[in-house]
Amino acid sequence: MYFKFTFCPIILLLWASLSFAQNVNVVIHGAASIAKTDDNFVCVTLDWWPAEKCDYNQCPWGKAGILNLDLRYGALINAIKAFNPLRIKVGGSLQDNVVYKVGEVSSCPNFMKREDGLFGFSQGCLSMERWDQLNRFFNHTGVKLTFGLNALFGRNESQTEKGLWIGDWQPQNTRDFMQYTISKGYKVDSYEFGNQLSGSGMGAKVDAKQYGKDVIVLKNLVKELYAHPETQPKVLGPGGFYEEKWFNTFLEVSGQGIVDGLTHHIYNLGPGDDPNMMNKILDPSYLNQVSQTYKGVSDVVNKFRPQLGAWVSESGGALNCGSKDVSRTFADGFWYLDQMGMASTYDQKVFCRQALIGGNYGLLNATTFAPNPDYYGALLWHRLMGSTVLAVTKESDPDLRVYAHCAKKKPGVSLIFINLSKDRSFNITLSNAKPGDAGKPNYEFVGKQNREEYHLRALTGDIKDDIVCLNDVPMVQTDSEDIPAMDPKLVDASTPISIAAQSIAYVTIRDFEAPACV
């Protein structure tokens, strides 16, 4: 499976050097932050889908679902441990069809194909034996866990409106599940109530007022069972697509202090079989469209002020398991890393990628557990980009995307540059904005310490490649299935930052003076 390369082919370097270079000045506004993310901003999901989940004449899940995933693989363990820690959300489309085999629940059915079932499947079950296995795995790998609860338990589908589920949520099965979890000492950072039940819903929906009443019941249950505030999991919701009226109504009904984090989903690339997927990913105007969703969610957060702010609790880019020709490739990073950059500027605290493994959009190959290119981009973000977000301005060239944060390890700032252009490289100079002096020109930053640079490119120069090079070294697992070393290239601070065509680069500058980062 794993080919051993020492360096990326020299033809790639020649091609990069021949591309047209454009000079661009980037201004970093380091006097104050514009947003804050959670320290564990990078998040991934584990989904319930069984092997029979198929879309577009393909069935890409295999045994990657929560109930079937082999937790013993060293490659899987090492991929999670590398984040130290990694935030994982257990959930997905079928979570509202999962019962927990505990308390009064005696039978434990497997998901089966059923034409009239939710998303085409029957009810499924999480046994406590499997829950024990999962928690041993989470504890061993240092996972920070969010668990998605079944919010349809006890409801019935309306006879008059298709897809609408009516009646009060029945919490007994969740109560028994939480009591078991507490008795075992398992750590749950947060519970998310339901999956994609907001607004028009996906497969099922719940009225906003009803959801608001039910989430109060859940919050009171958590407060009752987890008596100590310091160990009390947070309550998140609604975990669906943003619709302004529904979100406002739900939060008005639930009131202050009930929902700790407002969660929503982003799938802005559309269906996974779209033949224009690559064009969407490389089109800056298309990528910018989703900013309206981020702004809308941010406005709701500012109005109702949940403690944890807004989370993107699921985002796979392309719907229905992702795109088989794009989601696993280097090209997907242009969408993924740009989305994380954009989300952070809108004060989104967490960004959960669908999925860690499974479908076409897994960060890991569902068969070999080898990391796909987006895994390495996510790991670098986690290691380099701190929680304090800085404003950036630049000369207008939409193909160059730039985001800046305080460095995760002080001192300094870290930036990510995303070059969407096929034939232009960029030579970047930096300027430091003068705080409180808008009428005066910014001053050019001249560093004295070497910069730390991490350049990501496709192995062959073709962005549809599924192997990424970091500083011209192919990223492939070692023989012991460890994540390879990801060391920076130290670059003379007096030279411009060079961003090759269709490449991505992280840059950390230790001696950049940004008061917000002190």
Side-chain angles (χ1 to χ4, degrees):
M1 166 61 196
Y2 306 126
F3 297 96
K4 300 296 182 181
F5 297 96
T6 305
F7 297 102
C8 291
I10 194 69
I11 190 172
L12 174 60
L13 304 181
L14 292 173
W15 168 79
S17 66
L18 291 173
S19 63
F20 171 70
Q22 181 174 332
N23 297 326
V24 176
N25 182 253
V26 171
V27 181
I28 302 175
H29 301 260
S33 66
I34 60 169
K36 288 272 190 179
T37 71
D38 188 86
D39 287 337
N40 298 108
F41 175 74
V42 176
C43 165
V44 296
T45 69
L46 286 174
D47 208 305
W48 294 98
W49 288 123
E52 293 78 16
K53 164 65 173 171
C54 305
D55 292 285
Y56 317 125
N57 299 315
Q58 51 160 334
C59 307
W61 279 89
K63 294 187 178 299
I66 294 164
L67 298 178
N68 301 314
L69 182 62
D70 191 334
L71 306 173
R72 299 169 298 176
Y73 275 95
L76 176 64
I77 292 169
N78 293 337
I80 295 174
K81 279 187 170 183
F83 281 82
N84 189 33
L86 178 60
R87 183 187 293 277
I88 289 181
K89 190 197 83 167
V90 171
S93 297
L94 294 180
Q95 80 179 50
D96 294 305
N97 222 18
V98 176
V99 297
Y100 318 121
K101 189 186 177 187
V102 62
E104 297 177 356
V105 175
S106 56
S107 63
C108 200
N110 292 322
F111 287 117
M112 302 289 289
K113 293 286 286 184
R114 198 177 102 183
E115 195 169 317
D116 62 342
L118 187 63
F119 295 101
F121 285 90
S122 67
Q123 192 176 71
C125 171
L126 174 63
S127 70
M128 293 305 96
E129 291 80 9
R130 182 58 174 174
W131 185 229
D132 293 338
Q133 293 170 6
L134 287 164
N135 276 279
R136 285 193 292 269
F137 175 76
F138 295 149
N139 184 60
H140 177 58
T141 54
V143 164
K144 199 172 186 71
L145 179 65
T146 294
F147 187 86
L149 294 168
N150 179 347
L152 292 183
F153 195 87
R155 306 188 205 270
N156 295 298
E157 188 169 5
S158 169
Q159 298 298 308
T160 58
E161 184 175 348
K162 183 174 175 58
L164 176 66
W165 287 65
I166 57 177
D168 294 334
W169 174 64
Q170 299 300 312
Q172 187 60 50
N173 192 223
T174 291
R175 172 185 286 275
D176 293 337
F177 174 70
M178 285 185 181
Q179 287 177 326
Y180 181 87
T181 299
I182 293 167
S183 72
K184 290 288 189 175
Y186 298 151
K187 296 178 181 178
V188 177
D189 176 72
S190 45
Y191 288 108
E192 187 176 36
F193 189 54
N195 183 80
Q196 295 180 349
L197 301 175
S198 58
S200 302
M202 286 286 286
K205 62 183 178 181
V206 173
D207 178 77
K209 291 181 180 179
Q210 180 67 59
Y211 185 94
K213 291 190 294 183
D214 292 329
V215 83
I216 293 172
V217 174
L218 173 60
K219 182 67 172 184
N220 289 334
L221 178 63
V222 170
K223 290 169 70 173
E224 174 195 341
L225 298 181
Y226 292 87
H228 301 290
E230 62 272 15
T231 60
Q232 193 175 100
K234 305 297 189 291
V235 172
L236 311 174
F241 293 106
Y242 173 67
E243 292 186 21
E244 181 180 3
K245 183 179 179 180
W246 194 100
F247 271 57
N248 274 285
T249 300
F250 137 59
L251 289 169
E252 286 168 357
V253 170
S254 61
Q256 295 280 348
I258 299 299
V259 175
D260 299 296
L262 187 70
T263 55
H264 67 108
H265 293 180
I266 295 287
Y267 280 91
N268 58 316
L269 295 179
D273 65 344
D274 187 343
N276 295 315
M277 186 73 62
M278 189 69 75
N279 293 332
K280 289 180 176 180
I281 284 176
L282 296 175
D283 182 353
S285 63
Y286 186 89
L287 294 176
N288 287 340
Q289 291 175 15
V290 74
S291 64
Q292 294 304 309
T293 297
Y294 291 128
K295 183 180 184 304
V297 172
S298 294
D299 289 345
V300 172
V301 166
N302 290 335
K303 181 178 179 181
F304 292 97
R305 301 193 178 281
Q307 175 189 348
L308 300 181
W311 291 24
V312 179
S313 64
E314 185 179 315
S315 185
L319 286 160
N320 300 329
C321 300
S323 168
K324 68 180 180 64
D325 298 319
V326 178
S327 296
R328 300 172 179 173
T329 70
F330 178 78
D332 196 64
F334 295 128
W335 162 79
Y336 177 41
L337 298 177
D338 182 67
Q339 284 299 295
M340 289 208 292
M342 189 186 302
S344 67
T345 66
Y346 282 93
D347 213 29
Q348 310 288 294
K349 305 304 183 184
V350 172
F351 192 98
C352 295
R353 167 64 178 256
Q354 170 83 344
L356 172 63
I357 188 166
N360 293 308
Y361 37 36
L363 293 186
L364 306 179
N365 183 290
T367 303
T368 66
F369 296 88
N372 288 320
D374 279 353
Y375 171 88
Y376 295 104
L379 183 55
L380 284 172
W381 182 291
H382 180 75
R383 291 177 174 179
L384 302 176
M385 306 292 277
S387 60
T388 301
V389 186
L390 306 176
V392 175
T393 54
K394 64 177 178 64
E395 298 156 7
S396 57
D397 192 309
D399 283 337
L400 179 66
R401 322 280 283 185
V402 187
Y403 302 98
H405 291 219
C406 296
K408 194 156 196 176
K409 294 182 179 178
K410 294 183 177 182
V413 299
S414 290
L415 302 99
I416 180 171
F417 298 91
I418 302 169
N419 185 354
L420 302 175
S421 175
K422 184 177 181 179
D423 53 14
R424 282 178 301 147
S425 60
F426 293 98
N427 291 327
I428 311 295
T429 56
L430 297 178
S431 292
N432 200 336
K434 289 189 175 181
D437 233 344
K440 293 185 178 181
N442 302 307
Y443 56 91
E444 183 177 346
F445 167 74
V446 180
K448 297 180 180 179
Q449 298 182 28
N450 286 339
R451 296 189 301 267
E452 301 164 19
E453 298 189 0
Y454 304 78
H455 292 267
L456 299 171
R457 301 175 183 169
L459 173 67
T460 62
D462 183 349
I463 60 174
K464 295 191 291 292
D465 205 319
D466 62 359
I467 295 181
V468 61
C469 292
L470 171 60
N471 294 335
D472 302 325
V473 177
M475 292 287 98
V476 292
Q477 285 179 313
T478 65
D479 292 334
S480 59
E481 299 183 319
D482 287 325
I483 300 302
M486 301 177 70
D487 298 322
K489 178 170 65 173
L490 301 181
V491 180
D492 186 344
S494 66
T495 61
I497 301 169
S498 180
I499 311 298
Q502 290 192 332
S503 74
I504 299 166
Y506 288 92
V507 178
T508 296
I509 304 168
R510 295 296 176 192
D511 56 346
F512 192 97
E513 295 182 6
C517 300
V518 174

